[in-house]
Amino acid sequence: MTPSFLRASPLVAAALLAMCGAAGASSHREAPFISTVPKVDATDFYMFRSYEPGRSDFVTLIANYEPLQDAYGGPNFFALDPNALYEIHIDNNGDAREDLTFQFRFKNTLAAAGKGVELPVGDQSVAIPLVQKGTVTDVKDGNLNLAETFSVNVVRGDRRKGQSSAVTNAATGATSFDKPVDNIGKKTIPDYAAYAAKHIYGINIPGCATPGRMFVGQRQDPFAVNLGVIFDLVNAPVSVITDPALIGAAPNILDDKNITTLALEVPAACLTAGSETVIGGWTTASLRQARLLDPTPKPGHQTTEKAGGAWTQVSRLGMPLVNEVVIGLKDKDRFNGSKPKDDAQFATYVTHPTLPKLLEIALALPNTAPTNYPRTDLVTTFLTGINGLNQPKNVVASEMLRLNTAIAPVAFAQQNRLGIVGNILASGNDNAGYPNGRRPKDDVVDISLVAVMGGLCMANGDNNALGFGTACKPSAVPLADTAFKLHDAVDQATVPLLTGFPYLNTPFGGTP
Amino acid sequence: MKLRNPLIPCVVVAALLAACGGGGDDGSVEDTAVPAAAADTPAAYTDFAVAQAATPSESAEPLSLDNLAMPPTSETAYRR
């Protein structure tokens, strides 16, 4: 399928030929409250037609949590929160409300029926302080002191009031799944890749005839970004971040960090509804509203907190970088607690974005922000999807990642790191990249920098070729062709990935 | 702060729960906000949280905190 968005725009290719390269963490510690509860901090969300050979009829959904994990972070490492609800939502009719929700719940259980592994010491049997007592190689390994398990429900309709059913193991029918322990190191887990692979499950999804796949566990953080430099008022020479030859000049500051991923592979037909081929997706995490601290915690695991009451959403992530660099600081917690259907309250941050103005200040380049207000180019990209590419027929403006499931996936080697924009530049056939969904290889930092500084309006030309609005045109872009050249000097495309599900690479170990 | 009569928390919780209304499926009005009385004292605040924590729900929406301009705190109270 060639999107009409692309067929209509020969001018686009001409405009983008000037672009030889393009430039926050996506959502790592992006809001005041969520930085206090890292176990429920969503870092990145990906949604794409599976490009693993033979799996093109599936959509992969990846929600990453717990940012900036150092591999040596023992002895407790990075188990997910048993007092939290992790969710992946799908809107399949464009109304800004979830129609399908995958709900993940976690449980941590000490060995020996809750006593934990004990060793004989003199005439006493004493509990050990570590999560393992020896080498770990298998699911439910007997040397693990702590078992982390999880269950998944699929809810159809409202996430709280809808019909809920358990996802089951396709091989056993079980509703409880084992999560691999984190990559403690070579001596404990000699072959972590093989150990983790034993935790990839075939799953039966209620209401879906074809089985899917699921993996939950630690992975290398797949996001690449020049984090310290960006947050230090873009502490890099303009000559570097506008030189397309230097897209990989700086080290990826996250390339020794892990995250924890919730990965699902679901038949595309099970996510769409009727004739609408565009789906919207986002992830959220919620905590119980009432949380009490026990001043005398009971023996067991994580017993200090007693949580109850309603689920209260504290993290939300669809399109990358939105809460990071678009939403104002005073509203970041509010955004994390909000639902897409209520996004009108945040519209000003998109129609009149501050990031271009901040870049003017940081780079000492006054009057370089685009002048087309309201920024209909950003409204289209972030809130409705692009007509003819990934905009649902009956779209209600709201922030979520939108994927046209009718557009064929592209093999990794042929994927353009700059997504749709880069594909136009290359006159290629890769219409499956960001912002049409998001793949791990898509360099969303560079794409976003180009977009906010006017690249879309340069591409839109004087005849509104892409439908971004008549005011969105080259004369509204003071940077002109230089807008296409912006980048953060870190190349997302060089991050190591697996060739198939769950795509994200084996995590760094506590020892090499 | 002196230790209190152990019956007081029960009375406070009962009063707060009554103030909240309750129910839902039976046609009664569902709770939508934490009552202002929950912010009267640190003890009332804790008691309300205890009552909430004792009743986890998979379907309820969280309560609004609009009545809690400044949650009460204590620098002298001991744990209960």
Side-chain angles (χ1 to χ4, degrees), chain A residues 94-362:
Chain A
D95 68 354
R97 298 169 188 265
E98 68 275 7
D99 299 294
L100 282 171
T101 296
F102 296 92
Q103 297 183 327
F104 296 75
R105 296 290 309 277
F106 292 84
K107 183 178 181 181
N108 297 330
T109 307
L110 284 172
K115 289 198 306 178
V117 172
E118 295 179 341
L119 295 178
V121 183
D123 61 352
Q124 301 287 315
S125 187
V126 185
I128 67 170
L130 305 179
V131 297
Q132 89 280 25
K133 68 171 183 179
T135 301
V136 174
T137 57
D138 290 316
V139 178
K140 298 183 187 298
D141 198 287
N143 279 335
L144 283 174
N145 190 22
L146 181 71
E148 190 175 8
T149 57
F150 64 99
S151 60
V152 183
N153 275 32
V154 59
V155 180
R156 296 182 184 277
D158 181 272
R159 62 184 181 173
R160 299 289 174 265
K161 311 289 188 188
Q163 182 68 40
S164 179
S165 307
V167 169
T168 58
N169 187 317
T172 67
T175 57
S176 178
F177 300 86
D178 292 280
K179 176 177 173 289
V181 71
D182 292 338
N183 194 354
I184 297 170
K186 276 283 186 185
K187 189 170 184 179
T188 296
I189 311 170
D191 186 348
Y192 192 87
Y195 166 70
K198 295 175 181 177
H199 297 79
I200 298 174
Y201 300 101
I203 55 172
N204 287 327
I205 302 167
C208 183
T210 304
R213 288 191 291 184
M214 179 167 65
F215 173 80
V216 175
Q218 193 180 42
R219 298 280 95 184
Q220 283 184 27
D221 191 335
F223 193 60
V225 64
N226 205 346
L227 206 54
V229 166
I230 285 179
F231 289 136
D232 187 23
L233 297 174
V234 193
N235 190 358
V238 172
S239 60
V240 171
I241 63 172
T242 57
D243 183 346
L246 299 175
I247 61 170
N252 170 21
I253 201 74
L254 299 179
D255 77 353
D256 63 350
K257 304 298 184 188
N258 294 324
I259 46 79
T260 299
T261 197
L262 316 178
L264 286 170
E265 189 183 52
V266 182
C270 296
L271 296 175
T272 57
S275 60
E276 179 59 76
T277 60
V278 176
I279 59 174
W282 69 103
T283 184
T284 64
S286 299
L287 295 171
R288 294 291 188 188
Q289 187 167 26
R291 306 167 72 198
L292 291 167
L293 302 181
D294 189 343
T296 54
K298 308 301 180 289
H301 191 265
Q302 199 171 330
T303 60
T304 298
E305 181 186 60
K306 302 295 182 187
W311 291 118
T312 305
Q313 183 183 308
V314 296
S315 182
R316 170 185 170 187
L317 178 56
M319 297 280 275
L321 302 168
V322 170
N323 208 15
E324 190 93 14
V325 296
V326 177
I327 304 295
L329 182 57
K330 69 184 176 77
D331 284 327
K332 284 172 179 277
D333 287 346
R334 175 188 290 267
F335 181 84
N336 270 342
S338 66
K339 299 174 180 176
K341 70 180 181 62
D342 299 320
D343 277 351
Q345 65 186 311
F346 304 115
T348 300
Y349 289 120
V350 181
T351 59
H352 296 71
T354 58
L355 181 58
K357 291 294 186 182
L358 280 171
L359 289 173
E360 285 184 349
I361 297 168

Side-chain angles (χ1 to χ4, degrees), chain A residues 161 288-290 295 308-309 311-312, chain B residues 52-53 57-59 62-63 79:
Chain A
K161 311 289 188 188
R288 294 291 188 188
Q289 187 167 26
W311 291 118
T312 305
Chain B
Q52 287 292 304
S57 170
E58 302 304 313
S59 60
L63 302 176
R79 61 177 173 80

